[in-house]
Amino acid sequence: MRFSLSSRRFSVAFFLSTKCGFRSLSSSSSSSGRKAFTRSSSGETASSSSVMEVGETFRKENIRVILGSKSATRKHILEEMKIEYTTISADIDENAIRFEDPSRLVEALARAKAEAILERIRKAEEEEGAKEKRRTLLITCDQVVVFDGKIREKPETEEEARMFMRSYKENNPCSTVGSIRVTDVATGASASSVDVCTIHFKEISEEAMDFLINEGEVMWCAGGLMVEHEKVRPFVTKIDGSEDGVMGMDKEVCARLLREVFLF
């Protein structure tokens, strides 16, 4: 099955957990009096230059952030955003969740990771007999690579990683499809976004592939794709979208979702 992808950002959805699952909410809902972020007359949060404002505001408001990911690049991105965080791994069986549509797949996986981590947090609180008093926001993500209409996840073997990298060449771009979900741990209110970036390459050298495979980090990357790596960067000719989006978590999108859930 072939998919038509472009570097566009899909609309944000809001949800509130209920006994029946997740209930859709309007993005124009009241911010419950929280004034830490300014809004324009159109209801949008301040400009993208305020990405760094999120970390500062969260420190002032004593907001706890949990990153539900083992990804070293996502940790690095949050550190660049000056957001203090702790990590909890979802440890779900990702192969049990399958959709042919890459957007549906990554959104379903990000949501399943959030649900698994929320359940772990609730069980831990029950065992300890105390709830976290600080307001806590959880970030979960998932990403796949789409090449020639087919979904690529993490390579299972070194041979597959090499095959992936050899296929990225001139006139054969690939796309990353990634989902970010931010969830308020106490209320279940959440916001999510799916983003698509397209990466254009010239042929990656065998020397670079040998280095990446021996290093091993490429085996943890969807599609064996590491555009930020010093050995790969010389072969990237153009990115339609943001580099941090390709790396697994667009800073502006993440900041916007954190603001929206914080203000809800």
Side-chain angles (χ1 to χ4, degrees):
M1 184 175 183
R2 187 173 297 274
F3 305 100
S4 176
L5 298 173
S6 60
S7 56
R8 293 291 184 269
R9 187 160 295 153
F10 298 178
S11 60
V12 178
F14 287 85
F15 303 92
L16 179 66
S17 64
T18 67
K19 291 182 180 179
C20 299
F22 285 81
R23 179 167 59 85
S24 177
L25 298 174
S26 168
S27 61
S28 61
S29 299
S30 167
S31 62
S32 303
R34 297 187 177 94
K35 304 293 184 181
F37 293 105
T38 58
R39 290 181 178 270
S40 67
S41 57
S42 64
E44 296 293 325
T45 28
S47 70
S48 59
S49 62
S50 64
V51 166
M52 299 302 176
E53 177 192 345
V54 175
E56 180 182 351
T57 300
F58 281 15
R59 284 190 295 275
K60 289 179 180 177
E61 299 288 331
N62 197 27
I63 303 297
R64 180 189 181 200
V65 173
I66 297 173
L67 175 62
S69 173
K70 297 177 181 177
S71 166
T73 55
R74 292 190 181 107
K75 292 176 184 178
H76 179 67
I77 288 167
L78 280 187
E79 287 161 7
E80 286 190 332
M81 294 172 68
K82 308 299 183 187
I83 293 176
E84 297 174 359
Y85 66 93
T86 57
T87 58
I88 299 178
S89 176
D91 295 326
I92 64 169
D93 179 7
E94 297 188 20
N95 290 325
I97 300 173
R98 297 289 88 185
F99 290 100
E100 291 185 341
D101 184 316
S103 299
R104 289 188 66 193
L105 175 61
V106 295
E107 188 147 49
L109 285 166
R111 177 172 174 168
K113 290 173 183 178
E115 291 172 344
I117 292 171
L118 289 174
E119 183 61 26
R120 287 178 61 186
I121 291 172
R122 292 188 186 108
K123 285 183 178 178
E125 288 177 342
E126 288 175 2
E127 290 173 2
E128 295 170 5
K131 287 191 174 183
E132 171 65 61
K133 294 182 179 179
R134 297 169 62 192
R135 189 171 183 204
T136 303
L137 302 184
L138 168 65
I139 303 170
T140 51
C141 310
D142 197 76
Q143 185 183 63
V144 295
V145 169
V146 176
F147 179 80
D148 196 26
K150 297 179 181 178
I151 293 174
R152 290 180 171 180
E153 298 182 76
K154 298 179 184 72
E156 295 184 359
T157 65
E158 292 183 359
E159 289 73 19
E160 186 173 47
R162 193 179 295 275
M163 182 272 289
F164 284 170
M165 289 187 282
R166 280 180 178 152
S167 67
Y168 304 140
K169 60 183 73 173
E170 191 174 357
N171 299 320
N172 283 295
C174 64
S175 296
T176 58
V177 183
S179 176
I180 306 172
R181 177 174 290 271
V182 175
T183 306
D184 187 313
V185 170
T187 67
S190 66
S192 68
S193 181
V194 173
D195 301 279
V196 180
C197 301
T198 299
I199 309 97
H200 303 260
F201 288 92
K202 57 184 178 181
E203 189 169 344
I204 301 172
S205 71
E206 292 293 325
E207 180 185 0
M209 286 188 273
D210 288 341
F211 183 93
L212 292 164
I213 288 171
N214 289 334
E215 183 185 54
E217 188 64 28
V218 72
M219 304 301 295
W220 295 95
C221 299
L225 195 64
M226 294 185 71
V227 298
E228 74 281 6
H229 198 288
E230 62 180 0
K231 294 291 186 180
V232 178
R233 193 180 294 274
F235 302 101
V236 177
T237 58
K238 185 174 72 168
I239 295 176
D240 300 325
S242 69
E243 184 172 308
D244 39 282
V246 174
M247 290 167 62
M249 193 164 67
D250 184 289
K251 291 176 187 174
E252 290 190 13
V253 175
C254 184
R256 173 168 54 84
L257 298 177
L258 285 166
R259 284 195 293 263
E260 295 290 357
V261 175
F262 173 78
L263 289 167
F264 178 75

